[in-house]
Amino acid sequence: MATQSDAKTGPQVNLFDPDLQQCPYDAYKELRDEAPVYNIPGTQLYVVTRYDHVREVLMDPQRFPSSAPMNIRTNPIDLERGKKIAARFQEKGWVPEPTLAGRDDPNHKQMRAMFNEAFKPSRIKQIDPRVESLAYELIDEFLEDGHCDWVRQFCIPLPLFIIGEQMGAKREDMWKIKGWTDAF
């Protein structure tokens, strides 16, 4: 079972449980009600579930930095595996960089500025016809079937292809790039 309460320790929630991940909302409610700042057992990871607490964390990067060590990028229940992966990355020279969300200022502002330029309203207005055209193109690919897997056939490829074009990547390479990022 993915969640269970213990009178002494509070809720025991395994957010890495595949069944719980299919519908985590009951677990989130349990955490909000019983443990709004929840330490994932065996880790230094915390799940913060109440608005006021989340706001406090986001507004104080000195106390709550966004950066995290590499060894928690995998399931914290198997930290040994995470350490092996980090060692392999280091050995091969594949040390990953944190995402925008995993950076603190001043590096966060510097990287954010690049994204802000690419996605400011005037730039979006320039690509709006391309987005519309691609949307129709994707719909045309499944229209005659009379049904579609909306996420797989539309919701994923639309931003994937547009962002790929913005980055200068070839469309045929975008599924491979997505596979790499998903695997990471």
Side-chain angles (χ1 to χ4, degrees), residues 1-171:
M1 185 169 171
T3 68
Q4 57 189 30
S5 290
D6 180 322
K8 292 181 182 176
T9 61
Q12 298 298 302
V13 178
N14 179 1
L15 295 170
F16 299 99
D17 180 302
D19 291 332
L20 184 139
Q21 290 176 0
Q22 293 302 308
C23 186
Y25 304 108
D26 290 338
Y28 293 156
K29 182 180 182 334
E30 182 178 2
L31 291 177
R32 240 185 347 269
D33 292 347
E34 298 180 32
V37 179
Y38 178 70
N39 176 222
I40 297 176
T43 74
Q44 294 180 359
L45 296 174
Y46 289 83
V47 177
V48 182
T49 57
R50 289 191 184 156
Y51 176 82
D52 291 339
H53 295 132
V54 170
R55 184 168 171 71
E56 180 182 349
V57 167
L58 291 174
M59 299 305 287
D60 191 349
Q62 296 302 316
R63 284 180 38 217
F64 306 105
S66 297
S67 55
M70 176 58 197
N71 65 356
I72 62 168
R73 290 179 184 250
T74 62
N75 184 334
I77 293 170
D78 189 358
L79 288 176
E80 196 56 41
R81 181 172 184 262
K83 289 176 183 175
K84 287 179 183 177
I85 291 170
R88 174 68 57 90
F89 279 10
Q90 183 73 39
E91 172 188 313
K92 299 287 187 179
W94 303 333
V95 181
E97 288 293 321
T99 63
L100 182 60
R103 296 172 186 257
D104 292 311
D105 286 335
N107 186 258
H108 176 88
K109 278 185 181 173
Q110 179 184 21
M111 180 172 266
R112 177 84 185 240
M114 293 187 303
F115 287 99
N116 285 348
E117 183 63 29
F119 293 101
K120 64 184 184 180
S122 62
R123 184 83 165 110
I124 296 297
K125 190 172 184 172
Q126 286 178 334
I127 66 169
D128 198 40
R130 177 64 193 123
V131 174
E132 184 177 348
S133 172
L134 179 57
Y136 281 115
E137 182 181 326
L138 291 169
I139 290 168
D140 286 345
E141 289 178 12
F142 59 74
L143 190 60
E144 288 185 22
D145 295 340
H147 67 279
C148 74
D149 178 336
W150 186 248
V151 172
R152 186 178 57 78
Q153 292 179 277
F154 188 84
C155 297
I156 292 174
L158 183 65
L160 182 69
F161 295 162
I162 293 296
I163 291 169
E165 287 177 12
Q166 296 291 98
M167 295 180 346
K170 296 177 186 167
R171 184 181 296 184

